[in-house]
Amino acid sequence: MNGPQTLILLVLALLGVFAEAVVDFPRVWLRTQFDVLPPLMVYASLTGGVGTLVLLATVGGICADALSGNPMGVSVLPLFWVGLALHWRRELILRDLPYAQFVLGGMAAAAVPVLTLVVLLTLGENSLLGWGTLWQLLVVTIGGAALTPLCFSVMETLKRAFAYQPSTTTPFPANREIKRGRY
Amino acid sequence: MAFVVVLALVLVILNLPQAVATKAKLAVGSLFLPLFGLATLTRDLGQQAGKHLPPPSALIAELDRTRRENRELRVLVAQGDEALRENDRLRQLLGWKPQLPWATKPARIIARDTANWWRTARIDRGTRDDLRPNLPVVSADGLVGKIGEVGLTTAEVVFVGDPKCRVAVVVRETSEHGVLSSSSVGVLDHRLMDLTHLPRHTALKPGQRVFTSGLGGVFPAGLPVGTIVDYRSVGYGLYTEARVKLSADTSRLNEVLVLFP
């Protein structure tokens, strides 16, 4: 992943965090908001380097904490842990298959809030927990799973849009081309 | 190596002094201000476009309803004014300290908490508008919460139901005092709260109204909070705990009022 691609990823992370704060879907109906950062972290871990993971975890985590009641920096470590775990095993993962992206996105979306809550409880923060938290985790997992293939698709489209286009014309005139086989 | 760098960074951030951490959080949050402005503008444009859609007959009916409501409210205000004057006279007679009315400042909710385990939101008022932490926030339906961290142009509202917002309340019908705190049931039903520290023998009944008691010094007395849903005995019968349904639905609020003493 080159510089501009990393920049696009970070901008998407910022816009995602902003959308989480501003858009009321699905919060009003399901009492839970999706998290955009785990799907982006799955993409970054499977296509980028460790530097990209550090940047995404730091920028995304700090921005998410700034718009929430979390203490600053709490979301950074969980995001980075999940990204690093996937990055270590990325050669064994069928990253181009949508169902693999779906499963990985779900796992990451479930792991990040659980780890964040562990960090919060370790810090002695009294957050809102109960049986309903399991429902929230379920919704966040399904949402993260659904968003991950979408995230891959958007990032690949943006990557193609900002990359050099492959040459479609040949220097040889078409009427001088030697055609082989039956036709 | 990367892990050590991230871990060190997080440890440094988490160990920042409270004041520095709050300022850093507000500074990072202010990066989103242009986007918040854009979102508010888009919402306003949508609402303005929506205003052109209703047919004239619906508008006339709405105008009639508003005029009728206005007349009724005028009568109520006149009655309230008379009651206030009477209250002042009686206070003077008894030599009690006069109650100063609370000023209000309207604010718009521009963002909600991105985490599912807090109940906070961000409003478009800040220190520029004389906001400071712990000011009460209300809506037309009742108590909403209090002001948390305050930046120059935005501030955090900690809703009733968040673990950081506990309210001293009184049940109007029984005059029993208690503390309203977040409930584990409130994770899904954000309007349901626990009313704790109630006496052992209580005359509570479902449907009784709960108001702020004024104890604690943050919220003024008499703000409507909610109604009693049910109650049970806890601590081997030593205390009573009740569940309260909040009057204000914080998940659907777009505008709130900040109270100034």
Side-chain angles (χ1 to χ4, degrees):
Chain A
M1 195 180 277
N2 58 23
Q5 286 167 14
T6 308
L7 195 67
I8 289 170
L9 193 70
L10 294 180
V11 170
L12 274 183
L14 289 180
L15 291 176
V17 170
F18 169 72
E20 279 175 42
V22 170
V23 179
D24 282 336
F25 175 82
R27 189 184 351 239
V28 174
W29 295 286
L30 301 176
R31 304 283 173 222
T32 308
Q33 183 60 289
F34 294 155
D35 193 356
V36 185
L37 292 175
L40 287 172
M41 186 49 86
V42 172
Y43 177 81
S45 61
L46 296 182
T47 56
V50 178
T52 310
L53 297 186
V54 173
L55 270 176
L56 182 62
T58 311
V59 173
I62 285 177
C63 287
D65 290 340
L67 294 184
S68 84
N70 286 340
M72 276 280 276
V74 160
S75 307
V76 176
L77 269 184
L79 276 170
F80 185 66
W81 281 331
V82 168
L84 206 60
L86 288 174
H87 186 74
W88 269 343
R89 297 286 174 193
R90 68 174 175 169
E91 299 306 329
L92 304 174
I93 295 170
L94 303 168
R95 70 186 84 164
D96 294 329
L97 297 178
Y99 79 81
Q101 296 166 2
F102 184 87
V103 172
L104 287 173
M107 285 163 63
V112 167
V114 170
L115 291 170
T116 309
L117 284 171
V118 169
V119 174
L120 279 172
L121 292 174
T122 310
L123 291 172
E125 292 283 339
N126 183 19
S127 53
L128 200 56
L129 291 175
W131 287 109
T133 309
L134 293 176
W135 163 255
Q136 290 183 332
L137 273 178
L138 181 73
V139 173
V140 166
T141 304
I142 294 170
L147 283 174
T148 307
L150 187 73
C151 174
F152 270 76
S153 163
V154 168
M155 279 306 294
E156 290 303 321
T157 308
L158 287 172
K159 204 159 95 176
R160 277 199 298 276
F162 286 100
Y164 288 113
Q165 297 298 314
S167 177
T168 51
T169 55
T170 149
F172 302 105
N175 58 352
R176 305 292 291 168
E177 190 179 351
I178 299 169
K179 293 185 176 168
R180 299 176 189 281
R182 287 187 198 163
Y183 54 91
Chain B
M1 178 62 187
F3 183 74
V4 175
V5 170
V6 173
L7 190 65
L9 182 74
V10 170
L11 285 175
V12 167
I13 294 172
L14 287 175
N15 285 304
L16 285 174
Q18 184 63 38
V20 179
T22 305
K23 278 184 182 165
K25 194 170 176 177
L26 290 167
V28 176
S30 67
L31 289 176
F32 292 94
L33 280 179
L35 291 173
F36 285 138
L38 201 65
T40 309
L41 186 71
T42 314
R43 201 178 297 161
D44 286 350
L45 284 174
Q47 281 174 355
Q48 277 177 9
K51 280 175 190 167
H52 295 292
L53 291 177
S57 57
L59 287 174
I60 290 167
E62 175 74 17
L63 188 64
D64 282 345
R65 196 185 60 77
T66 314
R67 278 182 179 151
R68 204 164 44 243
E69 198 175 295
N70 192 22
R71 279 196 295 272
E72 287 167 9
L73 288 174
R74 276 172 189 273
V75 173
L76 282 177
V77 167
Q79 287 174 350
D81 282 347
E82 186 50 40
L84 273 177
R85 274 195 291 275
E86 187 184 44
N87 187 281
D88 285 343
R89 276 199 306 274
L90 292 171
R91 277 179 177 276
Q92 278 176 357
L93 284 172
L94 290 169
W96 284 12
K97 195 177 151 189
Q99 268 189 331
L100 294 173
W102 288 61
T104 59
K105 200 164 268 187
R108 182 179 288 183
I109 291 178
I110 52 172
R112 290 179 189 276
D113 206 309
T114 54
N116 292 314
W117 43 85
W118 306 114
R119 294 272 181 273
T120 68
R122 204 154 278 277
I123 55 170
D124 61 348
R125 301 273 184 180
T127 49
R128 201 172 55 174
D129 307 290
D130 301 328
L131 254 66
R132 56 181 186 274
N134 287 331
L135 286 175
V137 180
V138 297
S139 73
D141 297 321
L143 184 69
V144 168
K146 64 177 182 178
I147 296 290
E149 294 158 355
V150 188
L152 182 67
T153 52
T154 63
E156 181 192 47
V157 176
V158 184
F159 288 135
V160 181
D162 189 275
K164 291 175 196 159
C165 185
R166 291 159 72 89
V167 189
V169 294
V170 59
V171 182
R172 173 65 57 87
E173 284 80 0
T174 62
S175 300
E176 286 167 351
H177 287 255
V179 177
L180 205 64
S181 54
S182 61
S183 158
S184 59
V185 186
V187 176
L188 283 184
D189 189 350
H190 63 281
R191 291 178 75 179
L192 224 48
M193 303 271 299
D194 279 341
L195 177 55
T196 57
H197 298 80
L198 287 168
R200 183 179 168 187
H201 299 294
T202 174
L204 284 182
K205 280 180 190 159
Q208 288 176 334
R209 292 164 303 161
V210 178
F211 290 80
T212 50
S213 66
L215 300 174
V218 175
F219 303 102
L223 294 175
V225 176
T227 50
I228 301 283
V229 177
D230 52 19
Y231 66 95
R232 64 194 173 109
S233 185
V234 291
Y236 302 101
L238 287 174
Y239 304 101
T240 305
E241 212 173 81
R243 289 196 303 172
V244 173
K245 190 166 181 109
L246 297 177
S247 315
D249 185 355
T250 51
S251 70
R252 292 178 191 275
L253 280 177
N254 286 323
E255 281 104 24
V256 291
L257 292 169
V258 184
L259 296 185
F260 288 84

